[in-house]
């Protein structure tokens, strides 16, 4: 016991225990396993642009763009290919800033593989009403069109994509669908075809 001298009313007794580890008998402690899971930010705001990170969403293998868009926070997608983001309708679906299938968003939604997408941007395209809506002249009082721009990963923005689907069922039902596209910064060519007897007309 170590005691430091103070006036009686300030006397404090402090126990001191000095120990030495015996060589070869060092004590070890086992810690339970700790799992650290990193999370990815699904979306960020950059000015007036919403940017969705495609890597942050869990999709089944073979999913197309429509499955990815259906998971975006604030976004809804109906069976006709109409996309709404935070209550506002998307006027045009772009791929790397270009309208690949003007007037037929379903072709892109159902044929562009989700794994090829890096991020998705949603914004108002200033001065783009003529291009997006096919107007001969823009109404100065009309709001700028709301667009969704799908940005492809490096390596997928120059090359080709293709997929084919075939299915059959009872009562001689069948459905065959094929899609192919080749493109670069200055050129794009695509082909799409479907034949079925299940009343699909797109």
């Amino acid at each position: 016991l170590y005691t430091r001298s103070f006036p009686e009313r300030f006397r404090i007794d402090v126990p001191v225990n000095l120990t030495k580890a015996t060589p070869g008998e060092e004590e070890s402690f086992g810690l339970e396993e700790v799992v650290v899971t990193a999370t990815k930010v699904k979306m960020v705001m950059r000015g007036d642009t919403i940017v969705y990170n495609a890597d942050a969403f869990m999709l089944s293998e073979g999913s197309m763009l429509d499955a990815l868009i259906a998971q975006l926070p604030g976004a809804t997608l109906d069976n006709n290919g109409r996309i709404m983001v935070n209550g506002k309708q998307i006027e045009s679906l772009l791929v790397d800033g270009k309208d690949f299938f003007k007037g037929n968003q379903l072709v892109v939604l159902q044929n562009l593989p989700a794994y090829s997408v890096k991020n998705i941007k949603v914004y108002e395209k200033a001065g783009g009403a003529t291009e997006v809506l096919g107007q001969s002249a823009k109404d100065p009082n009309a709001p700028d069109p709301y667009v969704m721009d799908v940005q492809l990963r490096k390596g997928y923005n120059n090359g080709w994509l293709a997929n084919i689907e075939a299915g059959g069922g009872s009562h001689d039902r069948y459905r065959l669908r094929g899609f192919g596209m080749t493109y670069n910064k200055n050129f794009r060519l695509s082909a799409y075809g479907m034949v079925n007897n299940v009343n699909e007309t797109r």
Side-chain angles (χ1 to χ4, degrees):
L1 182 66
Y2 172 76
T3 303
R4 182 173 180 179
S5 296
F6 284 98
E8 189 63 29
R9 59 193 178 124
F10 293 111
R11 180 182 175 120
I12 301 174
D13 294 333
V14 181
V16 179
N17 296 316
L18 302 177
T19 60
K20 276 189 177 181
T22 305
E25 295 183 2
E26 291 82 0
E27 189 173 1
S28 62
F29 297 90
L31 300 177
E32 294 183 4
E33 181 180 0
V34 177
V35 178
V36 179
T37 303
T39 58
K40 295 182 179 180
V41 177
K42 291 185 175 182
M43 58 174 287
V44 296
M45 290 295 300
R46 295 178 181 168
D48 294 331
T49 301
I50 304 173
V51 182
Y52 296 98
N53 177 16
D55 286 337
F57 299 90
M58 298 295 293
L59 298 169
S60 59
E61 186 175 354
S63 293
M64 297 296 166
L65 179 61
D66 56 353
L68 174 58
I69 290 177
Q71 289 195 25
L72 302 180
T76 59
L77 173 64
D78 67 18
N79 292 332
N80 296 318
R82 186 177 67 164
I83 305 169
M84 304 287 289
V85 177
N86 297 327
K88 298 177 66 175
Q89 183 173 343
I90 297 297
E91 301 289 351
S92 183
L93 181 62
L94 310 177
V95 179
D96 282 337
K98 299 176 182 177
D99 194 345
F100 270 45
F101 298 92
K102 198 178 186 96
N104 194 351
Q105 295 182 168
L106 278 172
V107 176
V108 181
L109 290 168
Q110 297 177 346
N111 292 282
L112 186 67
Y115 63 76
S116 66
V117 179
K118 179 181 180 182
N119 54 50
I120 297 175
K121 298 180 179 180
V122 177
Y123 56 90
E124 290 184 353
K125 189 172 183 181
T130 301
E131 174 186 350
V132 172
L133 303 178
Q135 299 171 342
S136 58
K138 182 184 175 184
D139 181 352
N141 298 318
D144 291 321
Y146 210 42
V147 301
M148 178 175 283
D149 191 355
V150 178
Q151 304 286 306
L152 300 180
R153 298 179 187 276
K154 187 177 181 180
Y156 290 100
N157 51 11
N158 188 350
W160 59 272
L161 292 169
N163 64 67
I164 188 170
E165 179 183 22
S170 59
H171 305 291
D172 297 323
R173 300 298 185 190
Y174 64 87
R175 181 176 185 271
L176 302 172
R177 180 183 61 82
F179 172 81
M181 178 170 68
T182 180
Y183 57 97
N184 56 36
K185 291 182 178 180
N186 303 311
F187 168 83
R188 66 181 182 269
L189 176 66
S190 60
Y192 173 78
M194 173 183 283
V195 58
N196 70 84
N197 62 355
V198 290
N199 297 323
E200 287 196 44
T201 58
R202 46 180 173 246

